[in-house]
Amino acid sequence: MEKFFNRLGQVGATMLLGGIILTRFTFVVDGGERAVIFNKIRGVQPRVYSEGMHFMIPVLMVSYRS
């Protein structure tokens, strides 16, 4: 039984870590809004993101919505 709970704890920790990482690498644009990405190396990117879930690199990019 102890082996089961150890495994359950490992699965839970993995899911928690995966969820934290996933939320840092995605941003959501709500309906009726648009977003642009500011890249800390290249500046404002020309692509405009429409509503939905999009991926970004959190260390280099920041999303701005309007």
Side-chain angles (χ1 to χ4, degrees):
M1 194 65 158
E2 182 180 345
K3 193 174 187 181
F4 170 76
F5 286 116
N6 285 339
R7 187 69 165 155
L8 187 63
Q10 290 174 347
V11 170
T14 303
M15 290 177 66
L16 179 65
L17 184 61
I20 290 171
I21 290 172
L22 183 64
T23 59
R24 300 297 297 161
F25 280 83
T26 59
F27 67 98
V28 177
V29 181
D30 294 328
E33 294 185 351
R34 301 287 182 255
V36 294
I37 295 289
F38 177 76
N39 186 318
K40 294 180 182 178
I41 296 172
R42 297 182 183 171
V44 176
Q45 299 298 301
R47 181 174 176 196
V48 177
Y49 292 89
S50 60
E51 56 191 55
M53 183 181 289
H54 306 281
F55 296 99
M56 69 176 186
I57 302 169
V59 176
L60 295 177
M61 300 175 174
V62 179
S63 65
Y64 293 100
R65 297 173 205 91
S66 65

